[in-house]
Amino acid sequence: MDAVNLGERTLTELDFGRLSQLREVQTSFQFSTLLDRADVVEPLLAPCDVVTMYAQVDLEDVATGRRHRFVLCYPGQTEPREGYISVLSPVGMALIGLRVGAVAQWHSPSGQPCKARVMAVSRIAQFSA
């Protein structure tokens, strides 16, 4: 299992609909569980501190205190050097739907457990492909 934080999640109806279409691509139990357990809300009712698609997320590594900044995007739009990471990556699945203050947990590609606290969330303009 890559992303291990399946706690309380909030998804907008738009994000939920688009992510549900990705079930054909991402067939993992954990991705399905994430979608099945999410609290789905209208976009205008989503709290501003929730990680949504195309949100810029500031993280602080729990172990080292190092800060990282990512923008959550869909597969095919990733630009790791620019900080755009796929929602289907382990860190992407660990972040989607979390709120500021929550701790995301996942495993790195080498299998190392990772933990980072969501420090800030801001909305950006949608990625243009």
Side-chain angles (χ1 to χ4, degrees):
M1 176 155 68
D2 294 320
V4 292
N5 189 348
L6 292 176
E8 187 175 318
R9 307 294 181 108
T10 301
L11 298 176
T12 66
E13 290 172 342
L14 179 62
D15 287 351
F16 179 80
R18 289 180 176 171
L19 291 171
S20 292
Q21 293 175 5
L22 295 177
R23 283 188 198 224
E24 295 174 17
V25 176
Q26 180 59 271
T27 59
S28 73
F29 171 76
Q30 120 203 44
F31 184 67
S32 290
T33 302
L34 186 153
L35 292 175
D36 292 342
R37 292 185 183 172
D39 181 23
V40 181
V41 298
E42 292 179 33
L44 294 176
L45 298 178
C48 61
D49 66 345
V50 169
V51 177
T52 61
M53 295 304 298
Y54 303 109
Q56 182 173 280
V57 184
D58 291 337
L59 300 175
E60 182 178 87
D61 186 292
V62 171
T64 67
R66 289 183 59 204
R67 295 272 182 137
H68 305 275
R69 177 173 283 167
F70 297 108
V71 174
L72 211 52
C73 65
Y74 291 100
Q77 297 175 326
T78 59
E79 292 289 340
R81 290 185 180 163
E82 301 296 321
Y84 286 86
I85 60 166
S86 171
V87 68
L88 297 184
S89 69
V91 67
M93 282 196 284
L95 289 173
I96 187 72
L98 291 183
R99 295 183 81 156
V100 169
V103 175
Q105 300 179 59
W106 67 95
H107 287 99
S108 71
S110 65
Q112 294 295 329
C114 302
K115 283 182 167 181
R117 183 172 312 280
V118 178
M119 302 302 290
V121 174
S122 55
R123 307 287 182 252
I124 64 167
Q126 186 163 330
F127 187 92
S128 57

